[in-house]
Amino acid sequence: FKTKTFSWTTGFSYLHKTNKITSLLSSPTVRTMVSGSGFSYEGYPLSSVFSIPFLGLTNEGMPRFYNERGVETLGDFNFSSSNINFLKYSGTLEPTDVGTLTTTSRYKNFSLSANINYEFGAVTRLRSISNTDDYSAFPRELTQRWKKPGDEKHTDIPRLPTSYAFDQYGADNLINAYYAYGASTARIVSTDFIRLKEISLAYDLPTSLIKRTPLRSASVKVQATNLFLLYADKKLNGQDPEFFNIGGVASPTPRQFTLTLKLGL
């Protein structure tokens, strides 16, 4: 769109990716299929995520699942079993739909540009609520855990295990239960996002201001990069979906602000 004093241009790109493993010689176990790094399995895409079916919490705040025998259980699992048909396919770690939207508008000597990136079609597993290390703390979502009877109606986060629970349910049973919860459908979250990747405002100095100087042109631009997310899954609790897939102790993508002065001689 263009007039004498105003113009606007925009561009849009979209890419859809799909793949499927058609032949694979492997005999996976339940444990390997629910690994956090994704698993390749015949008939499914690369880096697929499989999960243990989660059935909700009991009125005592304990998680319930279906095990490899199709029986409802707390922690009666054989994670070394090759009977994996009970697992649920949750999606893939790799996004299936990606693209960008770019737009630039100009009014007289001012121009405003924006670049929006998006990714859809991928999932990941939230980290365990029961395992921590030297680089992590308990997740903030534990504030929403089960605390009293009735909480199971509005939360899927189990109670914290206590010495009483270990005596009541048995140590092995509880360890299996919380491991299964971390690998269950309850911990699946979408990593879809729409990000304002870049926005900039530029001003070209009028030639009347520089005609008495050696300069042929001059402009100044303010630019912000990785400013914020326009959309992300609420279950991420504010975590960056791109950073979430990196793992480890890497820093999230930082915001950057740049001031540029451009001179033409």
Side-chain angles (χ1 to χ4, degrees):
F1 178 83
K2 188 175 182 179
T3 67
K4 290 183 179 180
T5 58
F6 176 79
S7 66
W8 174 56
T9 59
T10 188
F12 179 78
S13 69
Y14 170 74
L15 171 66
H16 176 70
K17 303 181 294 182
T18 182
N19 67 83
K20 183 174 72 172
I21 298 173
T22 57
S23 179
L24 184 68
L25 302 178
S26 64
S27 298
T29 64
V30 174
R31 190 181 301 277
T32 55
M33 288 288 284
V34 299
S35 63
S37 57
F39 191 81
S40 298
Y41 192 62
E42 188 170 318
Y44 293 90
L46 291 167
S47 301
S48 292
V49 179
F50 295 88
S51 306
I52 295 171
F54 176 71
L55 301 178
L57 303 178
T58 69
N59 58 5
E60 293 184 333
M62 303 306 295
R64 300 177 297 120
F65 316 93
Y66 280 131
N67 64 12
E68 73 280 359
R69 302 188 304 278
V71 177
E72 184 178 325
T73 184
L74 168 66
D76 182 15
F77 285 96
N78 178 9
F79 293 109
S80 298
S81 172
S82 58
N83 182 6
I84 59 174
N85 293 329
F86 77 106
L87 296 175
K88 299 293 185 182
Y89 171 68
S90 298
T92 173
L93 295 175
E94 299 296 328
T96 57
D97 303 271
V98 299
T100 61
L101 172 67
T102 58
T103 181
T104 300
S105 58
R106 187 177 184 90
Y107 177 71
K108 294 185 177 179
N109 289 19
F110 289 93
S111 62
L112 178 66
S113 299
N115 187 340
I116 297 172
N117 291 3
Y118 64 88
E119 290 187 4
F120 295 100
V123 300
T124 192
R125 205 186 304 280
L126 294 170
R127 69 184 183 89
S128 173
I129 64 168
S130 56
N131 293 331
T132 59
D133 52 39
D134 291 341
Y135 302 109
S136 59
F138 283 111
R140 184 173 59 186
E141 61 187 313
L142 274 180
T143 58
Q144 305 301 318
R145 70 186 183 277
W146 185 98
K147 301 182 184 72
K148 62 183 185 303
D151 287 351
E152 66 276 3
K153 297 178 182 179
H154 54 78
T155 185
D156 61 7
I157 303 175
R159 63 188 292 181
L160 289 177
T162 61
S163 57
Y164 171 77
F166 275 93
D167 292 338
Q168 181 180 7
Y169 298 104
D172 290 341
N173 211 25
L174 272 187
I175 291 172
N176 282 349
Y178 280 85
Y179 176 82
Y181 177 75
S184 73
T185 51
R187 304 301 290 167
I188 295 298
V189 62
S190 167
T191 55
D192 295 351
F193 71 85
I194 304 174
R195 183 189 300 280
L196 180 58
K197 185 68 175 178
E198 181 182 296
I199 187 169
S200 64
L201 177 65
Y203 176 70
D204 295 330
L205 272 68
T207 55
S208 59
L209 294 180
I210 60 174
K211 65 180 180 180
R212 297 182 182 276
T213 72
L215 301 177
R216 299 180 59 184
S217 63
S219 64
V220 61
K221 182 171 72 172
V222 179
Q223 178 178 306
T225 306
N226 297 318
L227 206 55
F228 55 81
L229 288 165
L230 299 171
Y231 167 79
D233 194 328
K234 292 181 179 179
K235 289 181 69 176
L236 286 169
N237 291 315
Q239 297 178 89
D240 190 314
E242 282 188 294
F243 167 66
F244 199 93
N245 275 333
I246 296 173
V249 292
S251 297
T253 304
R255 295 187 180 96
Q256 295 181 344
F257 299 91
T258 307
L259 175 64
T260 303
L261 178 62
K262 186 177 180 180
L263 305 176
L265 302 175

